[in-house]
Amino acid sequence: MEKTFYVTTPIYYVNAEPHIGHAYTNIAADCISRYERLRGREVFFLTGTDEHGQKIAQAAGEKGIDEQSFVDAVVPRFNALWEKLSIAYSDFIRTTQDRHIRVVQHILRRLYDKGDLYLENYEGWYCVPCETFWPETQLTEMICPDCQRPLEKIVEENFFFRLSRYQQWLRSYIEEHEEFVLPSSRRNEIMKFLENPLSDLCITRPKTRISWGIDVPFSKGHVVYVWFDALINYISAAGFAADEDRFNRLWPCEYHLIGKDILRPHTVYWPIMLRALDLPLPRTVFAHGWWQLAGGKISKSKGNVVDPIALVERYGQDAFRYFLLRDVRFGLDGVYSEEALARRYNNDLGNDLGNLLQRTLTMTEKYFEGRVPASAPKNDDDLCRSVRTAQGVLWGAMEAPMNQLNFSEALTAIWSFISLLNRFVEETAPWSLAKEGKKEYLAGVVFHLLEGLRVAALALFPFMPNAAARMWGQLGMTTSLEKASYNDIRSWGLIQPGQRIGEKEPLFPRITVPEC
Ligand code: MSP
């Protein structure tokens, strides 16, 4: 049985509204999922919410409601955003669900019985917003190295997980598995971190300090540390310790997509947890960069979040997805500005793609009564052949970058094809062909354009599912794009002569570029 292509996003904290950073990972995961599905693979795409921990308890406290009611009220906002962005996930895990809690407790018990956990008095410097203890050796001032806020001194009894036991093993594993941490800059970062001795991980919190968490089964006074609980979502949702068949089909997953700030839990704690459980590791943890505003990074704690819902309402989901996937190579940091988004909208989407479709459909109506004309043997000249050659290489030009999650380069390859179609219109000048009465050659030219647009719509589906489906419909295709096969990008001539084109409507009507 072929293994399912399993891809995950982080599970998001629900202490505030979803923002552009959350949207980014889910769009990338949706894109790769749709791509693999069109290529015929069984896909399982997991996203969800991280609902325990101090931050959530604090946010609920500020609203004056209990934690469960608070998280229940926020989760639908995430669901609504995913719907607005056409994020076709297969499962949505919430860490407050029983199916998750059971697995976390099962794992704790197993690690405890195995001697990987121990109880100890702990005195340390703690960052409340980041929920992280910092060993004094890593501090020069008593300020959090991640968020730069003052640390609090805390003394308490907690359970620890023996990370140190596995340090050498982890180093060798990362050395031997080049694909485990990507991009390679992140791999270097984590290898460097592992040059110093690993401290054991404090994985519980006393209920006297925080009670909003999963109960530790062998200690009445403790709840589980939120990161230890959260990472387990990737296997609890896959049926670990509950549904063996399902778990074997899904695990190990292909990709954990994460932001670069949560690299350490995913490439140090998590692989060690899996190793301690005798489970194989995910193939790749891929850490993407951060979107920053000209003035610095966007984050909930800075209060300068970019509201994805507002942007989708103004520019549509396709333009928003396109911008995030195209503007910056996945893995690098990007600078976000609405002006850049609006320019991409008008230039790439409105001019290059939208106008090409409108012109082609108008010519089909005007010269061929709205039906796809047949190509003729005459259309075997250099110009027409250049379209077929470009179509022939498109698949390969997309496959290599998609295998590296380089969405931007894959889109650039599609845009080269679209630009070639635009040049083809200029060079063949169909309006002159019509005037000169060269109807047979004209038919071939329009056929090449319609067929080229069919290929473009299919190629674009993983990136802009909504716009691609609208293109598909306007071309008069009656099959479902969702069920199409990506292989059809490679076949020339699938659009049917005689087929009636659909209703014409502008894909990306021009908008005014805001001055930023
Ligand atoms: N709950 C943890 C993840 C647990 S996964 C087992 C968490 N949640 S979060 O809501 O704070 O952040 C989730 C993701 O959003 C992170 O991957 C983070 O990198 C990403 N982003 C937050 N702001 C971002 C940008 N401005 N740009 C890109 N991604 C950013 O961490």
Side-chain angles (χ1 to χ4, degrees):
M1 183 182 27
E2 203 198 352
K3 233 190 83 15
T4 300
F5 180 92
Y6 177 19
V7 57
T8 69
T9 71
I11 48 172
Y12 303 109
Y13 287 130
V14 288
N15 56 332
E17 301 294 314
H19 61 73
I20 190 170
H22 305 136
Y24 188 41
T25 330
N26 276 45
I27 289 171
D30 185 65
C31 180
I32 195 67
S33 298
R34 287 177 187 270
Y35 173 79
E36 292 294 341
R37 265 188 220 117
L38 283 185
R39 286 163 60 97
R41 292 212 44 195
E42 189 71 37
V43 170
F44 185 72
F45 162 15
L46 177 70
T47 190
T49 41
D50 192 351
E51 305 184 9
H52 291 124
Q54 201 156 343
K55 280 194 234 209
I56 315 288
Q58 248 165 20
E62 279 159 24
K63 288 233 156 155
I65 52 175
D66 68 279
E67 291 91 347
Q68 191 63 53
S69 313
F70 175 78
V71 296
D72 288 347
V74 182
V75 169
R77 309 235 183 101
F78 280 85
N79 298 134
L81 176 62
W82 305 149
E83 183 154 354
K84 252 188 153 33
L85 287 169
S86 289
I87 304 296
Y89 52 79
S90 323
D91 195 358
F92 190 99
I93 181 120
R94 298 182 53 180
T95 53
T96 49
Q97 286 167 339
D98 277 350
R99 61 168 172 163
H100 175 72
I101 294 171
R102 272 200 301 270
V103 176
V104 172
Q105 291 180 331
H106 166 89
I107 288 175
L108 276 173
R109 164 87 44 222
R110 231 164 106 170
L111 296 181
Y112 187 63
D113 292 346
K114 207 174 152 221
D116 274 329
L117 307 183
Y118 62 93
L119 189 64
E120 196 174 81
N121 242 333
Y122 186 72
E123 185 176 316
W125 293 93
Y126 186 68
C127 175
V128 178
C130 298
E131 299 187 38
T132 308
F133 276 108
W134 292 97
E136 227 163 278
T137 49
Q138 282 182 33
L139 302 170
T140 38
E141 292 167 280
M142 296 315 142
I143 287 197
C144 173
D146 279 349
C147 76
Q148 314 300 324
R149 275 176 282 207
L151 299 170
E152 280 176 33
K153 183 140 202 176
I154 283 185
V155 185
E156 59 193 31
E157 192 170 58
N158 271 313
F159 285 89
F160 285 76
F161 176 41
R162 292 187 203 279
L163 289 187
S164 47
R165 209 184 234 184
Y166 298 92
Q167 175 159 7
Q168 276 325 314
W169 162 80
L170 181 60
R171 285 187 55 156
S172 322
Y173 187 91
I174 298 178
E175 254 156 34
E176 285 158 20
H177 296 81
E178 284 211 349
E179 288 179 328
F180 179 57
V181 187
L182 289 176
S184 56
S185 55
R186 299 291 159 217
R187 181 166 180 263
N188 297 340
E189 179 184 325
I190 220 65
M191 282 309 282
K192 197 150 185 53
F193 173 76
L194 288 172
E195 279 170 15
N196 298 315
L198 264 185
S199 318
D200 289 342
L201 181 68
C202 178
I203 60 148
T204 60
R205 298 292 180 259
K207 282 189 181 167
T208 46
R209 183 154 65 81
I210 165 166
S211 60
W212 180 238
I214 297 179
D215 287 336
V216 174
F218 39 82
S219 170
K220 280 203 173 68
H222 288 99
V223 292
V224 182
Y225 168 46
V226 65
W227 264 106
F228 192 85
D229 152 4
L231 288 161
I232 291 171
N233 91 86
Y234 300 131
I235 55 175
S236 65
F240 177 68
D243 180 344
E244 210 178 319
D245 279 352
R246 176 179 157 87
F247 187 65
N248 290 339
R249 235 178 314 121
L250 295 177
W251 195 259
C253 78
E254 200 78 13
Y255 285 117
H256 285 323
L257 304 187
I258 59 164
K260 64 178 183 180
D261 55 317
I262 52 175
L263 186 68
R264 201 176 299 168
H266 283 87
T267 55
V268 179
Y269 310 161
W270 181 227
I272 292 181
M273 286 162 71
L274 289 167
R275 170 73 185 169
L277 293 166
D278 293 317
L279 291 176
L281 305 200
R283 189 177 71 91
T284 298
V285 176
F286 194 108
H288 63 69
W290 272 62
W291 285 96
Q292 333 224 324
L293 289 176
K297 82 180 186 184
I298 303 167
S299 72
K300 278 185 279 205
S301 43
K302 281 198 169 181
N304 61 352
V305 299
V306 176
D307 176 10
I309 300 250
L311 291 174
V312 171
E313 268 156 20
R314 196 158 328 138
Y315 299 94
Q317 56 157 279
D318 296 298
F320 185 60
R321 290 174 64 117
Y322 174 76
F323 173 78
L324 293 181
L325 294 173
R326 174 82 195 260
D327 217 52
V328 173
R329 185 188 169 135
F330 199 60
L332 302 180
D333 289 335
V335 177
Y336 168 81
S337 84
E338 192 171 335
E339 189 184 333
L341 165 57
R343 286 196 192 286
R344 286 261 181 215
Y345 177 102
N346 278 338
N347 299 340
D348 303 10
L349 300 176
N351 293 348
D352 298 346
L353 180 63
N355 284 352
L356 175 68
L357 178 68
Q358 291 309 297
R359 284 172 102 180
T360 305
L361 295 174
T362 305
M363 291 190 280
T364 312
E365 275 168 359
K366 194 161 157 196
Y367 306 133
F368 302 100
E369 284 122 29
R371 289 184 186 276
V372 177
S375 198
K378 270 198 184 149
N379 291 88
D380 203 26
D381 59 327
D382 283 352
L383 272 177
C384 292
R385 226 179 295 130
S386 73
V387 173
R388 300 200 297 272
T389 308
Q391 172 265 337
V393 297
L394 180 58
W395 168 279
M398 289 183 64
E399 191 173 41
M402 286 305 272
N403 283 340
Q404 298 167 6
L405 300 184
N406 188 345
F407 306 107
S408 171
E409 197 179 315
L411 279 167
T412 305
I414 302 176
W415 246 257
S416 310
F417 181 60
I418 291 168
S419 303
L420 183 125
L421 292 177
N422 276 310
R423 281 200 305 277
F424 179 72
V425 177
E426 295 309 318
E427 285 165 9
T428 52
W431 45 92
S432 308
L433 295 173
K435 250 193 231 139
E436 293 159 15
K438 296 183 177 155
K439 193 92 194 233
E440 208 187 332
Y441 187 73
L442 174 65
V445 166
V446 172
F447 177 86
H448 276 69
L449 286 169
L450 289 165
E451 175 63 356
L453 282 161
R454 175 196 66 83
V455 169
L458 183 52
L460 284 171
F461 182 67
F463 305 87
M464 300 194 288
N466 184 346
R470 283 161 64 211
M471 282 176 76
W472 199 248
Q474 292 188 49
L475 291 168
M477 305 297 292
T478 49
T479 52
S480 148
L481 184 50
E482 202 124 355
K483 297 209 181 88
S485 158
Y486 228 46
N487 276 321
D488 291 351
I489 290 177
R490 290 201 274 203
S491 310
W492 180 258
L494 293 186
I495 199 162
Q496 291 304 311
Q499 169 174 311
R500 178 167 283 290
I501 58 168
E503 189 125 341
K504 216 166 53 167
E505 40 121 18
L507 276 184
F508 298 100
R510 219 177 161 70
I511 40 141
T512 318
V513 176
E515 280 184 34
C516 300

